[in-house]
């Protein structure tokens, strides 16, 4: 069954410094697990992954947290294949639209952002549009090859609602979407989701798997 996520409204998030945003998300946001191991026979590795989420009038704020054994951040240019690296993703769709947006972030904050159309076509977001996404990765910004150990990392992102074609007017705003964790190019490739994905092979491009996301 697809999930339902109620996202609390925090009016002053846009006016806080970074430390205060972390504190407000911790105290007033909601935390969920990205824990669906959809292809556990082929890809059994299950790094602990959570996200804490809230929204303002103009942005959706998501803080992803990961604990893992391998860390990789080779890609450093916009719209490069960040899914090969230690990566988290947020796919979101206006409720009355067939189109949706894909936001993918590796652990050093490299962004791949794509508009996926109901027709099956797609287009990448421009550098200017990507620059409107605020983000803070705990691993810094310098790329590195895979390292092995015990790591924890997080990345805070603020995605403008206008970037996904949505507008918040003070009442519940219903969206659809999913959250993912993957790292296809590491020594322990994995493909986790928040809302279950039903396919024989890893495939996140399945809007039928999206859960309801309600901005309160």
């Amino acid at each position: 069954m697809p999930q339902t996520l109620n996202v609390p409204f925090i009016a002053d998030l846009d006016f806080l410094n970074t430390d205060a945003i972390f504190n407000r998300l911790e105290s007033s946001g909601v935390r969920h697990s990205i824990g669906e191991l959809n292809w556990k026979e082929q890809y059994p590795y299950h790094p602990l992954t959570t996200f804490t989420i809230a929204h303002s009038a103009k942005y959706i704020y998501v803080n992803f947290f990961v604990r893992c054994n391998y860390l990789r951040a080779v890609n450093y240019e916009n719209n490069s294949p960040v899914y090969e690296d230690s990566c988290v993703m947020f796919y979101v769709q206006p409720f009355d639209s067939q189109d949706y947006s894909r936001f993918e972030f590796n652990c050093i904050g490299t962004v791949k952002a794509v508009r996926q159309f109901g027709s099956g076509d797609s287009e990448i977001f421009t550098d200017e549009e990507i620059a409107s996404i605020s983000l803070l990765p705990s691993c810094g910004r310098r790329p590195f090859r895979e390292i092995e150990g015990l790591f924890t990392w997080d990345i805070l992102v603020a995605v403008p609602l206008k970037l996904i074609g949505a507008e918040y007017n003070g009442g519940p705003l219903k969206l659809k979407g999913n959250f993912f964790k993957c790292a296809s190019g590491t020594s322990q490739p994995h493909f986790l989701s928040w809302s279950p994905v039903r396919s024989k092979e890893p495939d996140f491009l399945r809007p039928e798997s999206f859960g309801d996301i309600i901005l309160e």
Side-chain angles (χ1 to χ4, degrees):
M1 289 288 293
Q3 303 269 32
T4 298
L5 173 61
N6 293 292
V7 181
F9 174 65
I10 304 177
D12 62 349
L13 273 177
D14 298 345
F15 310 102
L16 301 177
N17 63 34
T18 302
D19 287 342
I21 290 172
F22 279 114
N23 291 336
R24 289 301 301 276
L25 285 176
E26 187 67 24
S27 63
S28 303
V30 293
R31 180 182 291 117
H32 287 266
S33 173
I34 303 177
E36 290 289 338
L37 199 61
N38 301 289
W39 305 280
K40 59 184 178 181
E41 291 185 0
Q42 305 103 304
Y43 303 101
Y45 181 54
H46 192 304
L48 172 69
T49 310
T50 64
F51 66 94
T52 304
I53 188 169
H55 76 96
S56 66
K58 295 184 177 181
Y59 291 85
I60 298 176
Y61 289 77
V62 188
N63 187 38
F64 294 92
F65 173 84
V66 181
R67 181 179 293 129
C68 59
N69 297 116
Y70 289 87
L71 200 60
R72 181 187 193 266
V74 172
N75 294 284
Y76 57 90
E77 295 182 337
N78 284 347
N79 292 312
S80 54
V82 296
Y83 53 84
E84 298 171 348
D85 294 334
S86 301
C87 178
V88 290
M89 304 176 173
F90 173 38
Y91 290 10
V92 60
Q93 178 181 42
F95 193 76
D96 58 354
S97 175
Q98 297 298 309
D99 307 332
Y100 63 95
S101 300
R102 298 161 40 197
F103 301 103
E104 306 175 359
F105 312 94
N106 72 5
C107 61
I108 60 170
T110 308
V111 181
K112 182 178 176 68
V114 180
R115 289 186 182 89
Q116 199 74 34
F117 300 112
S119 63
D121 295 328
S122 64
E123 68 177 16
I124 60 173
F125 282 71
T126 65
D127 288 342
E128 182 179 8
E129 289 172 319
I130 289 174
S132 71
I133 303 170
S134 297
L135 49 87
L136 180 64
S138 66
C139 293
R141 296 284 194 161
R142 296 181 63 179
F144 54 87
R145 296 185 182 276
E146 182 182 83
I147 50 178
E148 181 180 359
L150 180 59
F151 306 100
T152 60
W153 60 276
D154 62 74
I155 182 168
L156 173 66
V157 302
V159 178
L161 285 168
K162 67 178 182 180
L163 211 57
I164 64 175
E167 183 177 0
Y168 181 75
N169 292 311
L173 174 63
K174 193 170 184 180
L175 307 170
K176 298 183 77 66
N178 211 340
F179 301 80
F180 306 103
K181 170 72 183 79
C182 69
S184 67
T186 66
S187 297
Q188 289 183 315
H190 51 275
F191 304 89
L192 309 178
S193 66
W194 164 67
S195 190
V197 179
R198 305 304 182 203
S199 61
K200 291 183 178 180
E201 300 293 334
D203 181 4
F204 291 160
L205 304 183
R206 289 184 169 266
E208 69 272 16
S209 75
F210 290 179
D212 292 337
I213 300 174
I214 302 169
L215 305 190
E216 297 177 338

